[in-house]
Amino acid sequence: MALSPERIRTVFSEHGRRINPALGQNFCVEGALLSAAAARVCLPDLPVLEIGPGLGALTEELLPRAERVVAVEKDAFLAGLLPQLLPDTRLQVVTGDILRADVPALMGDSPYVVAGNLPYYITTPIVERFLPLLPERMLFMVQKEAAARFFAAPGERVYGAVSVLSQVYYRPEPLFSVPRHCYYPQPEVDSAVVLLTKRAPADLAALPAPDALLRFVRTALAMRRKTLVNNFPRDGRVAALLPAQGIPENVRAETLPPQTLAQLCLLYENAVLPCEI
Ligand code: SAM
């Protein structure tokens, strides 16, 4: 059950604290939505890594559906309060920045899923941090504009690394629209819940390593108006492999579909640098 706005205000004031907008603290007050979201991301017997649990509205819905929940919260006050709000031996609250957390140390080598109502100010860094780690599923509550990145097609303004990696390694699915009144304090924009489901092992076999693809796409799209080749100055490998792929030398990376960029990355990683003697 998510806390009501009144209860959220009381919890903070009872402890002499204030909601911290700088940490993107917009708490979800729509319990039914969180329950439906948790049901879609959890897999039987798998642990969940939750990003930014806050007062535990989503955590509470994840716990009955997960093997255990590891929740990373940057606000030390909230991280200290959460075990009192949700006493459960299967909940491990870690105080810290999710961008610096040692995920393998927290989750071990076994499969896990990721869920979070993300702090809007670091949505893209969080998503770009987790995509290369390839958790089984990821559920993100994000602002609508950020949600569009997962589904963007070549040529769209928000097409970028998040679109490419999400579509190559995962099937992204829009689950719910979340009107701004579902949060307290109310933000200025609406949000959405997005679910990413990892593709089958056979589909992942012939792909580049995700961190290599992230590096490649970041470079390829660094200057969007430049050609792909010009975004790799002093590196002849990209120019050398385009003709065999039937791709014109003046192509811009933002016009290439995710699978083509993945294929180019694979060839690029395996290419021998042309000799310039
Ligand atoms: N999960 C809660 C909910 O749905 O009501 C809170 C979501 S609120 C949008 C984002 C949460 O992320 C806040 O609790 C905030 O303190 C926390 N947070 C902000 N930056 C963080 C970071 N770098 N690492 C971990 N947590 C962070």
Short mmCIF file of all heavy atoms in Angstrom, two decimals, residues 23-28 34 50-58 72-75 78 96-99 117-119 121-122 141, ligand 1:
data_model
loop_
_atom_site.label_atom_id
_atom_site.label_comp_id
_atom_site.label_asym_id
_atom_site.label_seq_id
_atom_site.Cartn_x
_atom_site.Cartn_y
_atom_site.Cartn_z
N LEU A 23 17.07 15.18 -5.01
CA LEU A 23 17.26 13.73 -5.21
C LEU A 23 16.09 13.12 -5.99
O LEU A 23 15.91 11.91 -6.00
CB LEU A 23 17.42 13.02 -3.86
CG LEU A 23 18.76 13.22 -3.15
CD1 LEU A 23 18.79 12.46 -1.82
CD2 LEU A 23 19.92 12.75 -4.03
N GLY A 24 15.30 13.97 -6.62
CA GLY A 24 14.19 13.46 -7.44
C GLY A 24 13.14 12.75 -6.60
O GLY A 24 12.57 11.75 -7.03
N GLN A 25 12.90 13.26 -5.40
CA GLN A 25 11.97 12.57 -4.48
C GLN A 25 10.52 12.91 -4.78
O GLN A 25 9.91 13.77 -4.14
CB GLN A 25 12.35 12.86 -3.02
CG GLN A 25 13.67 12.18 -2.66
CD GLN A 25 14.12 12.42 -1.23
OE1 GLN A 25 13.54 13.23 -0.52
NE2 GLN A 25 15.16 11.71 -0.82
N ASN A 26 9.96 12.21 -5.76
CA ASN A 26 8.52 12.28 -6.05
C ASN A 26 7.99 10.88 -5.75
O ASN A 26 8.27 9.93 -6.50
CB ASN A 26 8.27 12.65 -7.51
CG ASN A 26 8.89 13.99 -7.86
OD1 ASN A 26 9.99 14.03 -8.41
ND2 ASN A 26 8.22 15.07 -7.52
N PHE A 27 7.29 10.74 -4.66
CA PHE A 27 6.88 9.42 -4.19
C PHE A 27 5.58 8.99 -4.86
O PHE A 27 4.65 9.80 -5.00
CB PHE A 27 6.73 9.43 -2.66
CG PHE A 27 8.01 9.81 -1.97
CD1 PHE A 27 8.22 11.12 -1.54
CD2 PHE A 27 9.02 8.88 -1.80
CE1 PHE A 27 9.40 11.48 -0.92
CE2 PHE A 27 10.22 9.24 -1.19
CZ PHE A 27 10.42 10.54 -0.75
N CYS A 28 5.52 7.73 -5.26
CA CYS A 28 4.31 7.24 -5.93
C CYS A 28 3.24 6.96 -4.87
O CYS A 28 3.52 6.30 -3.87
CB CYS A 28 4.63 5.98 -6.74
SG CYS A 28 3.20 5.41 -7.65
N LEU A 34 1.61 0.23 -8.67
CA LEU A 34 2.87 -0.39 -8.25
C LEU A 34 2.72 -1.90 -8.11
O LEU A 34 3.63 -2.66 -8.45
CB LEU A 34 3.34 0.23 -6.92
CG LEU A 34 3.68 1.71 -7.00
CD1 LEU A 34 3.97 2.27 -5.62
CD2 LEU A 34 4.87 1.93 -7.92
N GLU A 50 16.38 -3.09 -6.32
CA GLU A 50 15.52 -1.90 -6.47
C GLU A 50 16.36 -0.63 -6.37
O GLU A 50 17.20 -0.48 -5.48
CB GLU A 50 14.40 -1.87 -5.41
CG GLU A 50 13.45 -0.72 -5.73
CD GLU A 50 12.40 -0.43 -4.67
OE1 GLU A 50 12.28 -1.17 -3.68
OE2 GLU A 50 11.69 0.59 -4.86
N ILE A 51 16.09 0.29 -7.27
CA ILE A 51 16.80 1.57 -7.32
C ILE A 51 15.92 2.63 -6.65
O ILE A 51 14.79 2.86 -7.07
CB ILE A 51 17.07 1.96 -8.79
CG1 ILE A 51 17.91 0.88 -9.48
CG2 ILE A 51 17.75 3.32 -8.86
CD1 ILE A 51 17.89 0.97 -10.99
N GLY A 52 16.44 3.27 -5.61
CA GLY A 52 15.73 4.38 -4.97
C GLY A 52 14.41 3.98 -4.35
O GLY A 52 13.35 4.43 -4.79
N PRO A 53 14.42 3.16 -3.28
CA PRO A 53 13.16 2.68 -2.70
C PRO A 53 12.36 3.76 -1.97
O PRO A 53 11.16 3.60 -1.77
CB PRO A 53 13.63 1.61 -1.70
CG PRO A 53 15.02 2.01 -1.34
CD PRO A 53 15.60 2.60 -2.59
N GLY A 54 13.02 4.85 -1.55
CA GLY A 54 12.29 5.92 -0.86
C GLY A 54 11.61 5.41 0.39
O GLY A 54 12.24 4.82 1.27
N LEU A 55 10.28 5.57 0.46
CA LEU A 55 9.51 5.13 1.62
C LEU A 55 8.95 3.72 1.42
O LEU A 55 8.11 3.27 2.20
CB LEU A 55 8.37 6.13 1.88
CG LEU A 55 8.84 7.51 2.32
CD1 LEU A 55 7.73 8.55 2.13
CD2 LEU A 55 9.28 7.48 3.78
N GLY A 56 9.38 3.04 0.36
CA GLY A 56 9.08 1.62 0.22
C GLY A 56 7.78 1.27 -0.49
O GLY A 56 7.34 0.12 -0.43
N ALA A 57 7.19 2.24 -1.21
CA ALA A 57 5.90 1.95 -1.86
C ALA A 57 6.03 0.81 -2.88
O ALA A 57 5.18 -0.10 -2.92
CB ALA A 57 5.38 3.22 -2.55
N LEU A 58 7.09 0.84 -3.69
CA LEU A 58 7.29 -0.25 -4.66
C LEU A 58 7.92 -1.47 -3.98
O LEU A 58 7.54 -2.61 -4.27
CB LEU A 58 8.20 0.26 -5.81
CG LEU A 58 8.58 -0.75 -6.89
CD1 LEU A 58 7.35 -1.35 -7.58
CD2 LEU A 58 9.49 -0.10 -7.94
N VAL A 72 18.79 -0.01 -3.06
CA VAL A 72 19.88 0.97 -2.92
C VAL A 72 19.29 2.38 -2.88
O VAL A 72 18.65 2.82 -3.85
CB VAL A 72 20.89 0.83 -4.08
CG1 VAL A 72 22.02 1.85 -3.93
CG2 VAL A 72 21.45 -0.60 -4.14
N GLU A 73 19.48 3.07 -1.76
CA GLU A 73 18.89 4.39 -1.56
C GLU A 73 19.98 5.39 -1.17
O GLU A 73 20.74 5.15 -0.24
CB GLU A 73 17.81 4.31 -0.46
CG GLU A 73 17.25 5.62 0.02
CD GLU A 73 16.62 6.47 -1.07
OE1 GLU A 73 15.66 6.01 -1.72
OE2 GLU A 73 17.11 7.61 -1.30
N LYS A 74 20.03 6.51 -1.88
CA LYS A 74 21.10 7.49 -1.62
C LYS A 74 20.83 8.31 -0.37
O LYS A 74 21.77 8.72 0.32
CB LYS A 74 21.23 8.42 -2.84
CG LYS A 74 22.40 9.36 -2.73
CD LYS A 74 22.67 10.05 -4.03
CE LYS A 74 23.90 10.95 -3.92
NZ LYS A 74 24.19 11.63 -5.16
N ASP A 75 19.57 8.57 -0.06
CA ASP A 75 19.22 9.40 1.08
C ASP A 75 19.35 8.57 2.36
O ASP A 75 18.56 7.65 2.61
CB ASP A 75 17.77 9.90 0.89
CG ASP A 75 17.35 10.88 1.98
OD1 ASP A 75 17.80 10.72 3.14
OD2 ASP A 75 16.57 11.79 1.66
N LEU A 78 16.21 8.12 4.54
CA LEU A 78 15.23 7.15 4.03
C LEU A 78 15.75 5.72 4.14
O LEU A 78 15.00 4.80 4.49
CB LEU A 78 14.87 7.48 2.57
CG LEU A 78 14.09 8.78 2.35
CD1 LEU A 78 13.85 9.03 0.87
CD2 LEU A 78 12.75 8.73 3.10
N GLY A 96 23.50 4.33 -0.45
CA GLY A 96 24.53 4.66 -1.44
C GLY A 96 23.95 5.12 -2.75
O GLY A 96 22.73 5.14 -2.94
N ASP A 97 24.86 5.49 -3.62
CA ASP A 97 24.52 6.00 -4.95
C ASP A 97 24.47 4.82 -5.92
O ASP A 97 25.46 4.10 -6.06
CB ASP A 97 25.61 7.01 -5.36
CG ASP A 97 25.34 7.63 -6.71
OD1 ASP A 97 24.50 7.11 -7.47
OD2 ASP A 97 26.00 8.65 -7.01
N ILE A 98 23.34 4.63 -6.57
CA ILE A 98 23.19 3.49 -7.47
C ILE A 98 24.21 3.54 -8.62
O ILE A 98 24.59 2.50 -9.17
CB ILE A 98 21.74 3.39 -8.02
CG1 ILE A 98 21.49 2.03 -8.68
CG2 ILE A 98 21.44 4.52 -8.99
CD1 ILE A 98 21.58 0.85 -7.78
N LEU A 99 24.68 4.73 -8.95
CA LEU A 99 25.65 4.84 -10.05
C LEU A 99 27.03 4.34 -9.63
O LEU A 99 27.90 4.09 -10.46
CB LEU A 99 25.75 6.29 -10.55
CG LEU A 99 24.47 6.84 -11.19
CD1 LEU A 99 24.66 8.29 -11.60
CD2 LEU A 99 24.06 6.00 -12.40
N ASN A 117 11.42 3.24 -9.48
CA ASN A 117 10.78 4.50 -9.84
C ASN A 117 11.93 5.50 -9.81
O ASN A 117 12.35 5.94 -8.75
CB ASN A 117 9.69 4.82 -8.80
CG ASN A 117 9.04 6.16 -9.03
OD1 ASN A 117 9.22 6.78 -10.08
ND2 ASN A 117 8.30 6.62 -8.04
N LEU A 118 12.50 5.78 -10.98
CA LEU A 118 13.82 6.40 -11.03
C LEU A 118 13.82 7.88 -10.69
O LEU A 118 12.91 8.62 -11.08
CB LEU A 118 14.43 6.22 -12.43
CG LEU A 118 14.65 4.78 -12.92
CD1 LEU A 118 15.43 4.78 -14.23
CD2 LEU A 118 15.36 3.93 -11.87
N PRO A 119 14.88 8.32 -9.97
CA PRO A 119 15.06 9.76 -9.78
C PRO A 119 15.31 10.38 -11.14
O PRO A 119 16.24 9.97 -11.85
CB PRO A 119 16.28 9.84 -8.86
CG PRO A 119 16.96 8.52 -8.92
CD PRO A 119 15.96 7.51 -9.38
N TYR A 121 16.55 12.99 -12.36
CA TYR A 121 17.75 13.75 -12.75
C TYR A 121 18.89 12.87 -13.23
O TYR A 121 19.86 13.37 -13.79
CB TYR A 121 18.20 14.66 -11.58
CG TYR A 121 18.83 13.90 -10.42
CD1 TYR A 121 20.21 13.90 -10.22
CD2 TYR A 121 18.05 13.17 -9.52
CE1 TYR A 121 20.78 13.20 -9.17
CE2 TYR A 121 18.61 12.48 -8.47
CZ TYR A 121 19.98 12.50 -8.30
OH TYR A 121 20.54 11.79 -7.27
N ILE A 122 18.80 11.55 -12.98
CA ILE A 122 19.85 10.65 -13.47
C ILE A 122 19.26 9.43 -14.18
O ILE A 122 19.85 8.35 -14.18
CB ILE A 122 20.80 10.18 -12.33
CG1 ILE A 122 19.99 9.78 -11.10
CG2 ILE A 122 21.86 11.20 -12.03
CD1 ILE A 122 20.83 9.05 -10.04
N MET A 141 10.09 3.24 -13.90
CA MET A 141 9.10 4.32 -13.95
C MET A 141 9.88 5.58 -14.26
O MET A 141 10.77 5.95 -13.47
CB MET A 141 8.39 4.49 -12.60
CG MET A 141 7.36 3.43 -12.34
SD MET A 141 6.63 3.61 -10.69
CE MET A 141 5.43 4.89 -11.01
N1 SAM B 1 10.50 4.20 -4.93
C1 SAM B 1 9.88 5.31 -4.27
C2 SAM B 1 8.48 5.47 -4.78
O1 SAM B 1 8.15 4.89 -5.82
O2 SAM B 1 7.69 6.17 -4.15
C3 SAM B 1 10.69 6.60 -4.44
C4 SAM B 1 10.95 7.01 -5.87
S1 SAM B 1 11.64 8.62 -6.03
C5 SAM B 1 11.15 9.01 -7.68
C6 SAM B 1 13.38 8.33 -6.30
C7 SAM B 1 14.14 7.77 -5.10
O3 SAM B 1 15.52 7.59 -5.51
C8 SAM B 1 14.21 8.70 -3.90
O4 SAM B 1 13.96 7.95 -2.73
C9 SAM B 1 15.63 9.25 -3.88
O5 SAM B 1 16.11 9.59 -2.61
C10 SAM B 1 16.38 8.08 -4.49
N2 SAM B 1 17.65 8.45 -5.16
C11 SAM B 1 17.99 9.63 -5.75
N3 SAM B 1 19.20 9.56 -6.29
C12 SAM B 1 19.68 8.30 -6.05
C13 SAM B 1 20.90 7.63 -6.34
N4 SAM B 1 21.89 8.23 -7.03
N5 SAM B 1 21.05 6.37 -5.92
C14 SAM B 1 20.05 5.73 -5.22
N6 SAM B 1 18.88 6.33 -4.91
C15 SAM B 1 18.68 7.59 -5.31
#
